[in-house]
Amino acid sequence: MFPLRGCGRQIAASFTKRLFPLARCSGDSAAPGIPHFDVVVIGGGHAGTEAAAAAARCGSRTLLLTHRVDTIGQMSCNPSFGGIGKGHLMREVDALDGLCSRICDQSGVHYKVLNRRKGPAVWGLRAQIDRKLYKQNMQKEILNTPLLTVQEGAVEDLILAEPEPEHTGKCRVRGVVLVDGSKVYADSVILTTGTFLRGMIVIGLEMHPAGRLGDQPSIGLAQTLEKLGFVVGRLKTGTPPRIAKESINFSILNKQTPDNPPIPFSFINETVWIKPEDQLPCYLTHTNPRVDEIVLENLHLNSHVKETTRGPRYCPSIESKVLRFPNRVHQVWLEPEGVDSDLIYPQGLSVTLPAELQEKMITCIRGLEKAKMIQPGYGVQYDYLDPRQITPSLETHLVQRLFFAGQINGTTGYEEAAAQGVIAGINASLRVRHKPPFVVSRTEGYIGVLIDDLTTLGTNEPYRMFTSRAEFRLSLRPDNADSRLTFRGYKEAGCVSQQRYERASWMKSSIQECISMLKSIEFSSSKWKKLIPEASISTDKSVPVRALDVLKYEEVDMELLAKAIPEPLKKYTECKELAERLKIEATYESVLFHQQQEIKNIQRDEALQLPKDLDYLTLRGVSLSSEVREKLHFSRPQTIGAASRIPGVTPAAVINLLRFVRTAQQRPVAATKSPKTGQCLCDTEKLEEQQL
Amino acid sequence: MWRGLWILVARAARGPCRPCTRQGSGAPAPGSGATIFALSSGQGRCGIAVIRTSGPASGHALRSLTAPRDLPPARRACLRLLTDPRSEEPLDRALVLWFPGPQSFTGEDCAEFHVHGGPAVVSGVLQALGSVPGLRPAEAGEFTRRAFAHGKLSLTEVEGLADLIHAETEAQRRQALRQLDGELGHLCRGWAETLTKALAHVEAYIDFGEDDNLEEDVLERADSQVQELEMALNAHLRDARRGQRLRSGAHVVVTGPPNAGKSSLVNLLSRKPVSIVSPEPGTTRDVLETPVDLAGFPVLLSDTAGLREGEGPVEQEGVRRARERLEQADLILAVLDASDLASPSSCNFLDTVVTSAIAQSHNGNSQRLLLVLNKSDLLLAGDLDLSPELPPHLLLSCLTGEGLDGLLEALRKELTAVCGDPSAGPPLLTRARHQHHLQGCLEALGHYKQAKDVALAAEALRIARGHLACLTSGGGTEEILDIIFRDFCVGK
């Protein structure tokens, strides 16, 4: 099926020769010999790699364009992946067969699940990653992905054409123009330019145009987007200095040891690459009043801090911590950058002071007295595009077949970027094949929460995922991401491998089977007490108790339950993951029952789609205030559910919209104009599937 | 296919906040499984009040209140003794009707209780219904929306639905404002604030507790806040059961520039000297309330201070209160001095109060306004032609009584509209709603204490906060994040 396996590597090796075995040559008579791909992805960061790989997995001939092949998979900031909320996103990316979780299982040096004691719904899978290994493994994966070609080149402009009449948008993207003037045609284009749109690096009072230290920004592309009418905003972020490992006195610092055994990120891995005992530790130190002094005395030398551009509240520089929370001691985690790296990453010390002052500040911290700074910390300011200008499939409203993913949409973080990358890749590919878009609802995953928040509310600071953003937190857990997304990914997008699909199916049916078994086993509480003396089962109720309720007790697990009732429970303890997931299902059973009801209601609203081509400003026959019209016009909600979440859209407006859609659906003229409307107004069957 | 519709409107109806994140997840799900109840007769004088339920638990509710009798035959009126299922105290002898779905008004199982119209009985039945598991007070327009969702309304009937929902939402908002005005509102907002803060701290502990140096005692502090809140709610609910004074009736507010004759009108309508009348502008400083019977409707008539930049702190406060009262009015009686229409204060009043109220009523706002030109006895023939741009108005002389009949007729029409609308949130229903959500909040706080893990504990707080948000509005995720980033130095 994939005769081209392995060719990616050759292409990358010989990119200068412009050899595109996967590309069709353009059929346009006007442009003979110009390569033509189904999907072109611009950018090789965390969004770009996921997008390109996802598009290729979906069966599209894909080209990844990047400034430099050797920066593909580069972790530009912290040497870690995952965390609370972010780990959830990674499990979902993995459930759609994305790359980052699997690569992390091959590249981590310190695996630790956060929030162990706070309940499985909020466990945060996290790992320190070896930067070099990650990049190597990612490049190996990307260069060996069938149907995926990689080419170096900076994109300067987009090729635009007349819009397709059956879709909204003022034009359609047909391809890209590179800096050297050469062209590549594409049926869909995905922009994942990170901080490169008019990127500007700031250290002290100095500013250099750059997307990342040492890399040129994209200015032409930013201008093109602005000319097309995209609303552009500006954000800032920062990164700490890097310190020489051998210059740090670790012996006087607190050591944090990793998990043993390490828990892998990916559903298809049972172990990670590294031996548990070979993992590297992290160390903890703290700032002190001297650090505050240096920051406060030198504010006049720090233009990044003075700027009004919005920075993230939750990833603050040391300057903003000192300014907002004076006279406090702040944590600094010293994290390894890799197995054979000489560098240490001081997490929590993001700073934009002039380099010599950074060094001075570092050396007054405990354990860092003799520390040598190898690279200074710096701030980055960059353009982002108001994400209310894209649909939940990440296609822009303005330009057909143009998709955005990652920091360009105002997010921050590798995991947030990867999550959007997968969705953009899938949808760019589906769009080429004229298939309906793949949209994850906020009831189905953190990916849905992320994209719904961005597309309906926009953002004015770098957006990061937290579990507090998810209203169905107890349902959207790291352990069940596969039963939420893998089946849809397999059936609707075709981005999931057969092997993964079968594994997820087996797991889901085993869980369902065992849960109904556990519901059917009932004994009196006194009998349970005899069967499992370890459990503190109260005997004051005379009603029979289900095995599922016994499993809810903290001290009971499947192992214990199967020991008491070997037949038929023994077989469910053979797979450790299955046994653990059953325990989690039992823990949340009663709450999930209520949550499922609410989820179903929301999904019904989401199933009521609005025609994409509604011109809200001139729409006749529906009574909407001009304020509501403006709001709907800008955000272009795709469903009645999304419309009702836009602040300022009143209940009456929602009803009016519904009525309008329903009447329009009954008129044949309107129906031909928006062929999808009628079809999507039905309740979708999949909603009835039980979610685990 | 329309089943889900009313839910989303109900969620949207709670305010401009987003139902999902901004509203906070915990809002008790108005799921299609819920059974709703409401007083569906108007609040005018009536011998019989009708209370309706709709939803799957209707049959259960009917049986609970009429125990030990079984369900009456479908669609046949039966006399039954209603008792409170909790205390088994008898409530009333009432006619009950049982409409199994889909042959009912909403298409769902419905029950109707025709009880004797006194406030004590109605309140007792509403509270008894609220105590039946699975029942909750209806949101604005929810009965109609359910009927719509089950295809019981034609498309033409649906045309009016949007306006109806808008009007009902407005009416409930005003009703809630009145209920939340003063001590009770102050209490509710205080509770919501405490709860939001406790939740924010628990959320911070979940999202940032591991890597960042939160204070050690974050959870303990949240625990003690929740405990205090629990005690306060408990005390309040015990207290509230004894019954708080309800200001029932349509709220009619008399307003206008100083010295237009507002107090004279109030005295004329109530047929007693409620307000001191003097030629001196600014005589009325506080809001004076008097319950009156107008054209057969119970009305709470409020005399307010003349709207102007008040002289001195007392009058300024009076003007502030007057404006506040205006917000809450069902019907505004705007009074102008007919002989003084050209004066700056009259023009200003016309521009700000009258035209904006009229404009809003075109937008489906249910607040009504009658413009009264007083002191018609001072007018010479043809005087009024000087101001042809005046909106529709009535001429009246409080001194001679000329025009009073016309005014009473107009009032009767307006009050029929205001009071005849059963969904306008009569105070009894508001109180039932209030109690339902406070009880729900209290239950959720109980779950918080028993929760085995922090994620479950936070879920309980989210649900508790959702209940309070139904009373005070607000309750979004952004609020939580704001508190987290204000109170803690989190992030790396």
Side-chain angles (χ1 to χ4, degrees):
Chain A
M1 188 183 173
F2 295 125
L4 296 169
R5 173 168 274 282
C7 67
R9 180 188 289 276
Q10 289 167 14
I11 303 318
S14 54
F15 54 83
T16 41
K17 290 181 199 148
R18 288 279 150 72
L19 189 70
F20 295 110
L22 284 174
R24 270 185 290 138
C25 277
S26 172
D28 288 352
S29 52
I34 292 179
H36 186 147
F37 287 85
D38 295 333
V39 176
V40 167
V41 179
I42 301 162
H46 302 284
T49 48
E50 293 289 355
R57 283 202 303 280
C58 290
S60 293
R61 287 163 304 109
T62 306
L63 173 70
L64 174 68
L65 276 170
T66 172
H67 280 112
R68 280 161 45 198
V69 170
D70 65 1
T71 60
I72 287 179
Q74 173 132 319
M75 299 167 67
S76 324
C77 194
N78 51 318
S80 63
F81 253 93
I84 301 152
K86 288 166 169 274
H88 292 67
L89 282 173
M90 285 176 75
R91 294 287 271 193
E92 293 178 5
V93 168
D94 185 62
L96 294 170
D97 230 346
L99 311 178
C100 65
S101 294
R102 279 185 289 126
I103 307 282
C104 282
D105 287 345
Q106 299 163 17
S107 326
V109 293
H110 174 121
Y111 294 86
K112 191 166 183 67
V113 176
L114 306 179
N115 272 355
R116 263 290 185 199
R117 286 171 298 119
K118 297 177 196 166
V122 294
W123 283 348
L125 279 80
R126 185 174 188 277
Q128 297 302 135
I129 307 289
D130 183 313
R131 283 182 199 281
K132 212 169 79 188
L133 270 178
Y134 187 88
K135 202 153 90 171
Q136 269 172 14
N137 289 326
M138 180 57 92
Q139 287 179 11
K140 199 162 101 194
E141 178 78 29
I142 287 290
L143 296 177
N144 285 296
T145 300
L147 295 178
L148 175 59
T149 308
V150 178
Q151 190 200 333
E152 276 191 356
V155 172
E156 191 62 21
D157 207 350
L158 301 173
I159 306 172
L160 300 169
E162 286 298 304
E164 298 161 284
E166 68 272 24
H167 290 279
T168 56
K170 67 177 187 186
C171 53
R172 168 165 75 103
V173 70
R174 292 270 343 258
V176 295
V177 183
L178 305 190
V179 171
D180 63 6
S182 64
K183 290 179 178 174
V184 178
Y185 282 136
D187 293 331
S188 287
V189 172
I190 306 175
L191 282 190
T192 68
T193 49
T195 58
F196 279 69
L197 285 184
R198 276 196 282 244
M200 194 71 102
I201 279 186
V202 194
I203 306 180
L205 297 174
E206 292 171 47
M207 291 180 110
H208 317 275
R212 174 168 54 204
L213 208 56
D215 289 317
Q216 285 304 304
S218 308
I219 292 169
L221 203 51
Q223 282 167 348
T224 303
L225 293 173
E226 210 161 19
K227 255 184 272 164
L228 277 165
F230 283 102
V231 177
V232 181
R234 204 143 170 89
L235 293 173
K236 69 176 178 184
T237 183
T239 190
R242 309 298 145 87
I243 303 171
K245 192 176 187 175
E246 82 282 347
S247 67
I248 300 176
N249 180 9
F250 290 113
S251 62
I252 55 167
L253 299 176
N254 288 334
K255 184 169 165 181
Q256 187 200 41
T257 49
D259 287 343
N260 186 357
I263 310 294
F265 284 98
S266 174
F267 282 100
I268 58 171
N269 288 335
E270 272 162 32
T271 52
V272 297
W273 74 289
I274 198 168
K275 281 193 222 140
E277 61 274 19
D278 289 349
Q279 295 183 85
L280 305 176
C282 293
Y283 292 88
L284 178 63
T285 183
H286 293 92
T287 64
N288 52 46
R290 183 73 193 110
V291 171
D292 289 26
E293 273 169 43
I294 294 175
V295 168
L296 294 173
E297 280 163 13
N298 296 292
L299 283 178
H300 60 289
L301 298 174
N302 205 334
S303 58
H304 196 62
V305 175
K306 286 183 284 180
E307 296 274 338
T308 49
T309 315
R310 289 293 294 263
R313 287 181 295 181
Y314 33 75
C315 194
S317 60
I318 187 68
E319 292 96 326
S320 57
K321 289 188 207 175
V322 167
L323 289 172
R324 289 186 45 227
F325 295 92
N327 307 319
R328 289 260 286 264
V329 163
H330 304 281
Q331 286 182 332
V332 178
W333 285 101
L334 301 176
E335 303 179 345
E337 295 235 327
V339 179
D340 55 3
S341 166
D342 304 328
L343 293 181
I344 287 292
Y345 180 93
Q347 177 87 272
L349 218 54
S350 170
V351 60
T352 54
L353 282 169
E356 61 282 7
L357 287 167
Q358 292 189 20
E359 194 146 28
K360 193 171 150 197
M361 181 182 83
I362 289 169
T363 52
C364 60
I365 293 174
R366 185 173 152 81
L368 304 181
E369 293 85 356
K370 293 187 180 139
K372 218 170 100 211
M373 186 176 80
I374 303 298
Q375 180 195 305
Y378 60 88
V380 188
Q381 302 183 359
Y382 57 97
D383 280 0
Y384 78 109
L385 303 173
D386 188 328
R388 284 174 294 179
Q389 300 168 101
I390 53 177
T391 68
S393 69
L394 303 182
E395 184 175 355
T396 66
H397 294 310
L398 273 176
V399 181
Q400 296 171 354
R401 296 170 177 248
L402 178 64
F403 295 77
F404 293 158
Q407 277 172 303
I408 190 171
N409 289 333
T411 61
T412 173
Y414 304 153
E415 305 79 359
E416 286 82 353
Q420 293 170 68
V422 172
I423 299 298
I426 290 172
N427 281 305
S429 176
L430 290 172
R431 184 76 161 81
V432 172
R433 288 182 282 146
H434 304 285
K435 292 213 177 148
F438 183 82
V439 173
V440 179
S441 147
R442 49 187 314 130
T443 60
E444 281 177 304
Y446 279 73
I447 294 182
V449 173
L450 168 77
I451 294 177
D452 185 60
D453 276 352
L454 290 174
T455 55
T456 53
L457 302 166
T459 185
N460 52 17
E461 67 179 332
Y463 182 102
R464 180 181 144 185
M465 187 44 72
F466 309 113
T467 69
S468 40
R469 294 194 194 267
E471 41 282 289
F472 302 109
R473 182 162 60 193
L474 299 184
S475 306
L476 311 182
R477 304 186 309 268
D479 62 279
N480 67 3
D482 59 342
S483 36
R484 290 184 274 122
L485 294 174
T486 299
F487 306 105
R488 285 196 61 205
Y490 180 81
K491 288 179 191 150
E492 295 171 43
C495 66
V496 171
S497 73
Q498 187 66 27
Q499 178 211 359
R500 182 185 289 272
Y501 173 72
E502 279 165 12
R503 195 180 181 286
S505 307
W506 174 81
M507 183 61 77
K508 186 170 179 169
S509 59
S510 305
I511 291 175
Q512 273 173 349
E513 190 186 294
C514 186
I515 294 273
S516 41
M517 193 85 75
L518 292 171
K519 281 182 180 166
S520 68
I521 301 174
E522 284 186 339
F523 295 126
S524 69
S525 45
S526 49
K527 177 156 185 202
W528 278 119
K529 193 104 196 148
K530 268 180 229 139
L531 280 171
I532 309 178
E534 295 93 329
S536 54
I537 296 164
S538 74
T539 44
D540 39 288
K541 273 187 202 152
S542 54
V543 287
V545 177
R546 304 175 305 169
L548 189 63
D549 297 316
V550 175
L551 188 54
K552 285 176 190 170
Y553 284 90
E554 228 173 325
E555 56 279 10
V556 179
D557 58 12
M558 276 307 287
E559 198 77 27
L560 208 54
L561 209 53
K563 223 165 65 191
I565 316 166
E567 203 45 53
L569 297 183
K570 183 94 187 18
K571 63 175 178 186
Y572 297 107
T573 57
E574 277 152 23
C575 170
K576 197 168 152 250
E577 189 196 336
L578 174 61
E580 278 169 6
R581 286 176 69 165
L582 285 166
K583 168 75 183 162
I584 297 173
E585 292 293 341
T587 307
Y588 292 127
E589 195 240 2
S590 51
V591 188
L592 288 185
F593 178 77
H594 292 286
Q595 221 162 62
Q596 282 306 321
Q597 191 62 49
E598 210 179 330
I599 285 177
K600 265 188 195 156
N601 292 332
I602 290 184
Q603 288 181 339
R604 287 209 178 93
D605 300 346
E606 301 292 341
L608 298 171
Q609 297 223 351
L610 289 164
K612 286 189 196 125
D613 54 352
L614 282 187
D615 182 353
Y616 291 104
L617 296 181
T618 59
L619 197 62
R620 283 149 149 268
V622 49
S623 139
L624 296 171
S625 74
S626 54
E627 188 200 348
V628 168
R629 281 172 191 269
E630 286 283 342
K631 292 200 157 123
L632 293 170
H633 176 72
F634 191 74
S635 295
R636 308 205 66 82
Q638 307 252 307
T639 66
I640 288 286
S644 71
R645 283 196 292 274
I646 297 173
V649 174
T650 61
V654 172
I655 284 279
N656 272 326
L657 269 181
L658 251 177
R659 187 168 56 78
F660 175 80
V661 172
R662 179 126 189 241
T663 6
Q665 183 201 352
Q666 288 175 344
R667 272 197 308 266
V669 188
T672 42
K673 215 180 157 205
S674 50
K676 293 231 180 75
T677 316
Q679 164 205 330
C680 301
L681 271 167
C682 328
D683 272 356
T684 41
E685 273 173 54
K686 69 182 166 64
L687 302 184
E688 305 306 326
E689 270 180 35
Q690 200 197 345
Q691 225 174 4
L692 277 168
Chain B
M1 88 202 228
W2 296 95
R3 284 180 65 92
L5 164 66
W6 67 266
I7 305 152
L8 95 121
V9 184
R11 255 188 277 118
R14 270 187 238 136
C17 333
R18 70 182 315 191
C20 253
T21 42
R22 300 294 138 129
Q23 188 72 35
S25 64
S32 52
T35 299
I36 51 171
F37 63 91
L39 177 63
S40 55
S41 50
Q43 51 170 317
R45 258 194 228 151
C46 53
I48 298 291
V50 179
I51 295 164
R52 253 188 196 163
T53 74
S54 174
S58 289
H60 176 64
L62 185 50
R63 260 195 303 253
S64 301
L65 264 68
T66 57
R69 307 282 300 266
D70 212 352
L71 281 181
R75 291 175 294 281
R76 188 102 46 87
C78 295
L79 190 64
R80 289 278 192 277
L81 177 69
L82 299 186
T83 48
D84 189 317
R86 292 166 301 180
S87 60
E88 293 178 10
E89 265 172 49
L91 294 166
D92 191 22
R93 289 193 81 78
L95 276 185
V96 297
L97 286 118
W98 164 237
F99 303 94
Q103 284 149 291
S104 67
F105 166 60
T106 58
E108 303 176 319
D109 286 354
C110 289
E112 272 184 23
F113 301 84
H114 296 225
V115 301
H116 294 99
V121 171
V122 173
S123 170
V125 175
L126 287 174
Q127 287 189 25
L129 283 172
S131 73
V132 177
L135 262 73
R136 63 168 176 79
E139 299 280 340
E142 204 169 342
F143 275 91
T144 324
R145 279 199 303 274
R146 288 196 176 195
F148 175 54
H150 291 97
K152 291 280 173 176
L153 296 178
S154 70
L155 265 183
T156 13
E157 285 172 297
V158 173
E159 304 262 333
L161 184 58
D163 295 335
L164 176 71
I165 288 171
H166 190 109
E168 290 188 5
T169 317
E170 275 296 298
Q172 281 207 350
R173 187 188 63 81
R174 279 202 306 276
Q175 180 66 44
L177 263 181
R178 286 198 286 258
Q179 293 286 312
L180 288 179
D181 191 18
E183 205 195 352
L184 185 56
H186 191 70
L187 276 175
C188 276
R189 279 187 290 272
W191 295 329
E193 217 169 277
T194 313
L195 189 51
T196 303
K197 191 161 173 181
L199 175 59
H201 286 199
V202 174
E203 296 278 1
Y205 180 72
I206 289 174
D207 274 337
F208 303 100
E210 207 84 352
D211 258 2
D212 300 283
N213 42 349
L214 298 187
E215 290 78 355
E216 301 269 309
D217 59 343
V218 170
L219 276 193
E220 283 81 20
R221 267 187 297 165
D223 285 351
S224 66
Q225 278 169 337
V226 166
Q227 203 171 358
E228 272 170 41
L229 187 59
E230 226 180 337
M231 272 154 52
L233 282 176
N234 253 323
H236 174 79
L237 278 173
R238 271 199 308 273
D239 195 35
R241 240 170 265 139
R242 264 184 260 127
Q244 76 219 40
R245 200 173 67 89
L246 284 174
R247 294 181 296 164
S248 52
H251 284 232
V252 176
V253 175
V254 181
T255 183
N259 226 10
K262 296 178 292 299
S263 299
S264 306
L265 179 60
V266 167
N267 291 345
L268 184 70
L269 287 176
S270 58
R271 279 182 263 173
K272 61 184 176 193
V274 175
S275 306
I276 299 171
V277 179
S278 88
E280 193 182 312
T283 305
T284 306
R285 291 181 162 186
D286 205 346
V287 176
L288 293 172
E289 271 177 4
T290 178
V292 296
D293 183 319
L294 281 182
F297 293 101
V299 163
L300 196 71
L301 194 60
S302 303
D303 188 13
T304 62
L307 296 181
R308 64 167 176 182
E309 297 300 318
E311 292 164 7
V314 177
E315 194 184 345
Q316 276 168 15
E317 175 61 19
V319 171
R320 192 193 64 77
R321 288 185 187 187
R323 290 189 196 280
E324 196 177 86
R325 194 52 66 99
L326 215 52
E327 274 268 291
Q328 305 169 1
D330 291 314
L331 171 63
I332 297 172
L333 274 180
V335 184
L336 279 174
D337 184 341
S339 64
D340 188 35
L341 288 177
S343 75
S345 63
S346 296
C347 293
N348 187 28
F349 179 77
L350 273 172
D351 285 348
T352 53
V353 180
V354 179
T355 35
S356 79
I358 289 173
Q360 274 173 22
S361 71
H362 287 305
N363 285 335
N365 191 324
S366 63
Q367 196 175 45
R368 291 156 186 279
L369 182 135
L370 278 179
L371 179 58
V372 178
L373 302 185
N374 187 24
K375 309 191 188 176
S376 62
D377 48 298
L378 298 179
L379 286 182
L380 303 171
D383 263 7
L384 269 184
D385 300 345
L386 296 175
S387 28
E389 283 147 33
L390 271 181
H393 54 267
L394 298 155
L395 277 177
L396 174 76
S397 165
C398 286
L399 192 69
T400 65
E402 199 184 336
L404 180 62
D405 289 344
L407 174 63
L408 285 175
E409 179 55 26
L411 275 172
R412 193 187 61 76
K413 273 190 196 150
E414 296 292 339
L415 287 172
T416 312
V418 170
C419 299
D421 183 355
S423 51
L428 289 176
L429 185 58
T430 310
R431 189 165 77 174
R433 196 166 167 263
H434 211 87
Q435 198 154 350
H436 172 82
H437 287 303
L438 290 186
Q439 198 68 52
C441 177
L442 201 55
E443 262 166 45
L445 293 182
H447 291 152
Y448 169 81
K449 285 195 301 191
Q450 294 158 10
K452 291 194 196 90
D453 71 42
V454 186
L456 279 167
E459 188 65 23
L461 286 192
R462 285 177 173 198
I463 290 170
R465 180 164 174 258
H467 277 292
L468 283 189
C470 289
L471 302 177
T472 60
S473 81
T477 305
E478 212 44 46
E479 225 178 302
I480 298 280
L481 292 178
D482 284 343
I483 295 179
I484 293 179
F485 296 121
R486 188 194 68 208
D487 288 3
F488 305 110
C489 184
V490 290
K492 311 159 205 175

